[in-house]
Amino acid sequence: MPLGTWLKAATSATALVLAIAGPATAATAASGESSTAQAAAVTLRYDDSGAAGWEAAIAAGVASWNTNVSNVHLVEAAPGTTAEIVIVATTGWPQATLGPVRPGRQVRVELGSQAVDQGYDKTRIAAHELGHSLGLPDTKPGPCSQLMSGSSAGTACTNATPNATERSRVQSAYASAVTALAPAAGRTLVDAP
């Protein structure tokens, strides 16, 4: 069969498959998105009802993670539902249970005002503590460019974005449904300098 005839047949077959599949599948196929990749993301719910005064910082920290990783997605838990990440405000130093937390399991994040009183950025604190819940340990001492360097980067550091290595580690931790069923580590990390 000549190449031109083969290409015409392949194009016609593709058009027929998309027409039979329907507009939603055709739009997904045309945009190049993989519905399998979208379905593979692990959704984790967080409850910040006990974190008065930290709402904006939590929302910014969640947005930072949701923007930078695709294998896990953080959403606010509906009132009365169980959340995998429970976030509370405390008077001590920030601390969190080391994950990676899995659906149906639970970790705790304590956003401590002692760090804020000493000049640390609230959004960086929230994003850093969420990073612990997603399985990242501290990388102290470290530069401001490392979100998980925490307080060792100093009070002038306001970076709330995970770097490439941190993003890669979280992507790997939530890479498949099989790993999503593994237990969380469960150690509490206190982020005092």
Side-chain angles (χ1 to χ4, degrees):
M1 174 184 292
L3 180 60
T5 306
W6 185 87
L7 288 174
K8 260 188 198 174
T11 303
S12 297
T14 301
L16 179 62
V17 167
L18 289 175
I20 292 170
T25 303
T28 299
S31 69
E33 294 179 33
S34 167
S35 60
T36 305
Q38 290 174 345
V42 174
T43 299
L44 298 175
R45 295 161 302 198
Y46 68 90
D47 175 3
D48 64 354
S49 61
W54 286 84
E55 295 87 355
I58 294 166
V62 164
S64 178
W65 281 108
N66 285 343
T67 299
N68 285 286
V69 295
S70 59
N71 286 347
V72 64
H73 188 73
L74 304 174
V75 297
E76 190 168 5
T81 62
T82 302
E84 284 83 12
I85 304 171
V86 176
I87 308 171
V88 297
T90 68
T91 58
W93 277 96
Q95 56 185 291
T97 310
L98 179 61
V101 66
R102 305 301 181 190
R105 306 270 172 32
Q106 195 170 73
V107 295
R108 182 176 171 92
V109 168
E110 296 183 10
L111 300 175
S113 63
Q114 192 169 357
V116 176
D117 295 344
Q118 291 201 12
Y120 292 97
D121 181 71
K122 281 179 130 178
T123 300
R124 178 171 167 85
I125 293 168
H128 174 91
E129 299 306 325
L130 287 168
H132 286 320
S133 297
L134 298 175
L136 298 177
D138 286 316
T139 54
K140 295 179 181 181
C144 183
S145 60
Q146 292 177 345
L147 176 60
M148 300 314 293
S149 67
S151 61
S152 72
T155 57
C157 179
T158 60
N159 172 39
T161 304
N163 68 19
T165 301
E166 294 163 335
R167 292 190 302 266
S168 177
R169 289 186 70 186
V170 170
Q171 286 288 94
S172 293
Y174 293 93
S176 72
V178 174
T179 59
L181 300 175
R187 189 175 82 203
T188 300
L189 302 177
V190 179
D191 287 306

